[in-house]
Amino acid sequence: MFFDEEIETMKRADLDVLVEDRIRYTVKYANDCSPFYRKWFRKHNVDPRDIRSHEDLLNLPIISGEVIHKNQPPVSDDFYLKSVDWNQVFTIHETSGTSGSPKTFFLTWDDWERYAEKYARAFVSQGFGKGDRVVVCASYGMNVGANTMTLAANKIGMTIIPEGRCVFPLRVILNYRPTGMVGSVFKFLRLAKKVSKENLVPSELGLKGLVVGGESFAEEARLYVEEVWGCNVYNTYGSTEGTMCGECSEISGLHVPEDFVHLDVYDPNLESFVGDGECGRMVLSTLLPVGEKTGTLLLNYDTEDTTVILSRGKCACGRSHLKIHSPQREAETFWGLGSPFNRVDVERGVFQRENMEYVTGEYEGFLKDGNSEGQVVLGLNLECIEETYCDMRIVEENFLRGFFKFKPKLEKDYSEGKFKIELNFLGLKELEIFKSRGRPKD
Ligand SMILES: [Zn+2]
């Protein structure tokens, strides 16, 4: 049931003590081993010994992608966030931010061990363990996700089939009978389509769980994938910076491994914490067990994702670590007439159950100016299962209901004609995303 029962079920008060111990050690480590922090502490006359609790982290800088860029080549002459000797660096990684230029991360072997432990806890909380065989469709490369999951499998006696992508021959499923797959909502749907084409029924193939890695999705999309594959779909959130959070069997939020990662939720100006239950910017700090080392130390790292702390109480699964709402990317949030909406809102509209009789779930969207002054138009191309059979009126009604569910202001703008939604219904494979060259079609 647990990977590390003592830690995972630790009482809140004990957990808080452990976290503060690790905050103190990690800040000391930052001063001793990270050129960036050492300089920052001196420049701002901060005595690292004064940073003792989670509130004190408010006195340290927020590390954005921009700060990382400025403290590594080519802007700087060295990697100032690297916090370990070169001979202790096991692997080097790059992640591309929205700006396109990569951020470098250094991992020691101990970092890998801790990353893997976080995923191992998530897998166990989702019911995976010895005897399970899991196809990893996430890519193995400069990101750490797929490799970390593979290492995690070793910790819990699970078998990994490292496909790296979701375009794999069906024999992989038929011959090896995997009990789980790691991928994305759309990859699972495309794979199901491929399975159905061979006159097989996805829900009869013996899968017991699907794990979505690193993307937010609407509950409606989850329910549909669960129906198609006949098993639970669990969300996880992982990043090269070291967060690995996952939904447990309860599927009511993602547990944050609080002994390894400290998570704060900030207001949009990144000045103060917001309360539990309130949406804000997710800011993370690495927590090092006393005596351990890390390759790239980040305190107060701005993920540019938003989330909500759902609970710090004991979960029905027995775990005490806090639960958060699936993080949403700010880069996937758009503004129309002063109202934010996210890719997830669009998917909530598309994946209304009745719509799935007519559309595949694949879509592409764009925002543009309307004909009248100030009018904003959201255009969406939807892929139909069969164009001639598609009941556009029903799909549109369902879409609007799902899309506006949490957007009363935008709905008012819609009824007043200031916000317009144009749905275009296209046949199979007619979306631009399938036509543009070079885009992976798995
Ligand atoms: Zn739980």
Side-chain angles (χ1 to χ4, degrees):
M1 247 189 105
F2 300 99
F3 178 75
D4 184 343
E5 184 165 358
E6 194 190 330
I7 288 278
E8 290 176 75
T9 63
M10 198 174 247
K11 287 202 181 71
R12 174 58 43 195
D14 298 336
L15 193 54
D16 288 344
V17 170
L18 180 83
V19 167
E20 303 224 321
D21 265 357
R22 290 190 177 181
I23 287 177
R24 285 192 287 273
Y25 172 71
T26 309
V27 171
K28 181 182 181 304
Y29 184 87
N31 187 52
D32 293 346
C33 303
S34 163
F36 170 82
Y37 282 107
R38 192 163 45 240
K39 191 171 149 199
W40 193 91
F41 288 134
R42 282 196 196 143
K43 189 172 161 196
H44 293 86
N45 278 325
V46 170
D47 185 340
R49 285 169 299 188
D50 292 340
I51 310 295
R52 309 187 57 79
S53 71
H54 124 101
E55 281 81 17
D56 296 333
L57 290 174
L58 282 167
N59 301 322
L60 298 185
I62 302 269
I63 305 298
S64 61
E66 184 68 25
V67 173
I68 298 178
H69 283 140
K70 277 191 185 151
N71 285 278
Q72 70 170 55
V75 182
S76 289
D77 57 352
D78 203 352
F79 294 93
Y80 287 101
L81 284 149
K82 183 165 81 63
S83 54
V84 84
D85 290 340
W86 273 110
N87 59 16
Q88 285 173 310
V89 173
F90 175 54
T91 52
I92 301 174
H93 301 266
E94 288 181 345
T95 62
S96 56
T98 33
S99 66
S101 84
K103 292 171 282 187
T104 303
F105 289 89
F106 300 95
L107 266 68
T108 64
W109 174 246
D110 285 345
D111 286 322
W112 277 100
E113 287 276 4
R114 285 189 295 267
Y115 282 22
E117 176 163 347
K118 293 176 228 176
Y119 268 126
R121 288 185 199 171
F123 278 133
V124 171
S125 79
Q126 293 156 357
F128 291 104
K130 225 178 201 58
D132 281 306
R133 289 179 292 281
V134 171
V135 184
V136 174
C137 304
S139 63
Y140 288 78
M142 290 300 264
N143 281 314
V144 297
N147 281 307
T148 317
M149 289 177 186
T150 305
L151 201 56
N154 179 53
K155 289 186 180 289
I156 59 176
M158 187 165 89
T159 302
I160 290 285
I161 307 170
E163 284 293 341
R165 53 206 303 236
C166 262
V167 210
F168 53 78
L170 282 186
R171 67 158 192 279
V172 171
I173 294 186
L174 300 175
N175 292 357
Y176 310 131
R177 292 284 164 180
T179 52
M181 291 195 286
V182 177
S184 72
V185 162
F186 285 97
K187 283 177 177 178
F188 292 141
L189 287 178
R190 286 169 207 165
L191 193 58
K193 245 186 272 172
K194 198 167 145 188
V195 169
S196 306
K197 259 193 211 149
E198 301 296 317
N199 292 321
L200 294 165
V201 182
S203 61
E204 291 173 359
L205 294 174
L207 272 296
K208 71 177 198 191
L210 298 175
V211 179
V212 175
E215 64 169 26
S216 49
F217 48 78
E219 268 319 293
E220 285 77 3
R222 184 209 303 269
L223 290 175
Y224 184 63
V225 177
E226 286 185 339
E227 182 187 324
V228 168
W229 281 98
C231 63
N232 284 338
V233 171
Y234 302 99
N235 199 7
T236 56
Y237 173 86
S239 63
T240 304
E241 294 82 353
T243 2
M244 281 87 194
C245 310
E247 281 177 331
C248 64
S249 50
E250 296 300 310
I251 310 192
S252 58
L254 287 78
H255 282 290
V256 179
E258 285 186 71
D259 54 323
F260 285 137
V261 178
H262 180 71
L263 180 146
D264 283 313
V265 182
Y266 276 73
D267 71 284
N269 299 323
L270 297 173
E271 280 162 4
S272 58
F273 302 141
V274 302
D276 290 1
E278 243 182 279
C279 184
R281 253 321 233 269
M282 188 161 86
V283 173
L284 300 169
S285 297
T286 304
L287 291 185
L288 280 176
V290 174
E292 296 196 13
K293 296 176 175 207
T294 186
T296 297
L297 181 63
L298 296 174
L299 297 166
N300 288 348
Y301 178 69
D302 175 15
T303 59
E304 294 179 32
D305 291 340
T306 57
T307 193
V308 178
I309 292 181
L310 297 173
S311 136
R312 292 178 197 269
K314 208 175 184 78
C315 176
C317 76
R319 289 170 183 79
S320 53
H321 292 220
L322 65 85
K323 283 193 291 191
I324 56 168
H325 195 276
S326 287
Q328 296 197 348
R329 299 233 157 93
E330 288 221 317
E332 291 174 352
T333 299
F334 308 92
W335 290 82
L337 299 156
S339 301
F341 63 92
N342 190 274
R343 181 177 58 76
V344 173
D345 296 306
V346 174
E347 278 164 28
R348 184 179 306 110
V350 173
F351 280 91
Q352 294 291 310
R353 182 60 191 87
E354 197 182 13
N355 288 357
M356 304 318 288
E357 301 298 324
Y358 306 107
V359 298
T360 63
E362 303 276 1
Y363 71 92
E364 57 201 6
F366 44 88
L367 269 182
K368 57 182 184 182
D369 292 332
N371 293 330
S372 56
E373 172 107 21
Q375 190 188 46
V376 175
V377 179
L378 170 65
L380 282 176
N381 295 335
L382 300 173
E383 188 187 48
C384 299
I385 298 168
E386 260 182 76
E387 241 179 316
T388 46
Y389 168 69
C390 187
D391 192 325
M392 301 181 215
R393 193 185 52 82
I394 286 185
V395 175
E396 180 160 17
E397 271 176 26
N398 285 324
F399 176 84
L400 295 176
R401 199 181 51 244
F403 179 77
F404 287 126
K405 190 170 174 189
F406 303 111
K407 309 279 159 204
K409 186 185 166 292
L410 209 54
E411 187 168 20
K412 187 165 170 281
D413 290 331
Y414 176 79
S415 64
E416 290 168 2
K418 292 181 215 157
F419 182 64
K420 216 176 143 193
I421 293 180
E422 285 175 3
L423 297 187
N424 306 303
F425 295 85
L426 302 176
L428 286 177
K429 299 278 167 204
E430 283 181 13
L431 297 184
E432 288 300 320
I433 50 169
F434 293 120
K435 292 180 193 163
S436 54
R437 278 176 17 163
R439 184 185 183 277
K441 293 180 178 64
D442 60 345

